[in-house]
Amino acid sequence: MKIDKTIYEPMLRQAERQLGALDNEKMRLLRVIAGAQRELKLLATQRIQHVQAVGSVKVVLHLPLTAEEAELCGVRGEKEVEIPANAFKDKTLPDAAKDLLLIFGRAATHREMTEGLRKGGINQGLKHLENSLRSAMTRRPDLFVFINQNGAFGVWELTEWSNPMAEAVTEPVRQQRLAVVGGSGLAAVPQAQAKS
């Protein structure tokens, strides 16, 4: 029995279009989720700042502090990180920057990055380390993301810290062409398999 492929071809094309639309919708939703995660992180930072402000005012007024306020107000600032003098010797700028962020264990401003790299022995011969670093980190969106905070200096983060779904969002949408294959049963298989 011969199968008339023209009957099934429109159904196949429609299924391919629907599959592509579903993949595009998935990517759109992943981007929305990633944006919401960034907003949540920013809100958490702002909340900490406000709790610290409230705690500081309560200290001045000699009012009792909540446990959260006491914890946040008791911290006098970032702990000084020790960077060995040759920690980044003979490393490329992106590799050294990644290592520095891992040493910090947090996001860092561009100035903190350049100062930390200089302490770690990055090539002192670079004429404009700030510009070279910014350029090198911008060219590596797979490693770094720059978060521009409203009203404050932006910070560099590792992409994996900022967005755990980065791989899913940047993953290219592959559309496979399907072919109708005849035989005892009718099946739609990727065209590469259909030719064999």
Side-chain angles (χ1 to χ4, degrees):
M1 177 168 115
K2 191 155 184 150
I3 296 175
D4 185 7
K5 291 182 180 180
T6 58
I7 295 173
Y8 295 101
E9 201 165 314
M11 289 189 309
L12 180 63
R13 298 298 169 240
Q14 182 180 1
E16 285 178 335
R17 282 192 299 275
Q18 290 173 342
L19 183 60
L22 289 173
D23 287 340
N24 290 337
E25 181 65 9
K26 173 188 168 188
M27 297 310 292
R28 185 190 70 77
L29 289 173
L30 286 173
R31 287 186 186 100
V32 168
I33 290 168
Q37 286 180 330
R38 282 191 295 273
E39 276 187 62
L40 280 172
K41 198 169 188 178
L42 180 61
L43 286 174
T45 302
Q46 290 173 345
R47 185 180 187 287
I48 288 171
Q49 291 169 347
H50 288 296
V51 169
Q52 287 174 329
V54 168
S56 298
V57 172
K58 283 184 175 181
V59 167
V60 169
L61 298 175
H62 302 291
L63 296 173
L65 300 174
T66 65
E68 183 182 25
E69 292 165 350
E71 180 183 333
L72 290 174
C73 291
V75 177
R76 293 287 177 223
E78 291 292 334
K79 198 165 87 174
E80 186 65 31
V81 176
E82 289 295 320
I83 301 169
N86 290 326
F88 312 123
K89 189 176 181 181
D90 299 328
K91 288 191 177 186
T92 64
L93 277 176
D95 290 339
K98 181 179 179 182
D99 290 349
L100 181 61
L101 284 171
L102 290 172
I103 289 171
F104 283 153
R106 61 173 174 79
T109 64
H110 194 70
R111 176 170 286 175
E112 289 174 317
M113 293 295 295
T114 54
E115 288 172 0
L117 290 173
R118 281 195 179 108
K119 283 181 189 175
I122 205 71
N123 186 357
Q124 300 294 333
L126 288 172
K127 209 172 197 180
H128 303 284
L129 178 60
E130 293 84 3
N131 294 337
S132 299
L133 178 62
R134 183 178 293 110
S135 177
M137 292 176 81
T138 303
R139 284 192 306 257
R140 293 298 305 270
D142 58 319
L143 290 177
F144 309 105
V145 63
F146 187 76
I147 309 292
N148 195 359
Q149 299 171 344
N150 294 338
F153 290 110
V155 292
W156 288 103
E157 285 187 351
L158 291 176
T159 303
E160 61 199 49
W161 294 348
S162 175
N163 183 4
M165 286 188 273
E167 290 178 15
V169 172
T170 57
E171 167 186 299
V173 177
R174 294 184 325 218
Q175 291 187 351
Q176 287 187 342
R177 285 249 184 243
L178 301 177
V180 178
V181 181
S184 61
L186 193 57
V189 296
Q191 282 187 345
Q193 292 178 359
K195 292 178 182 176
S196 57

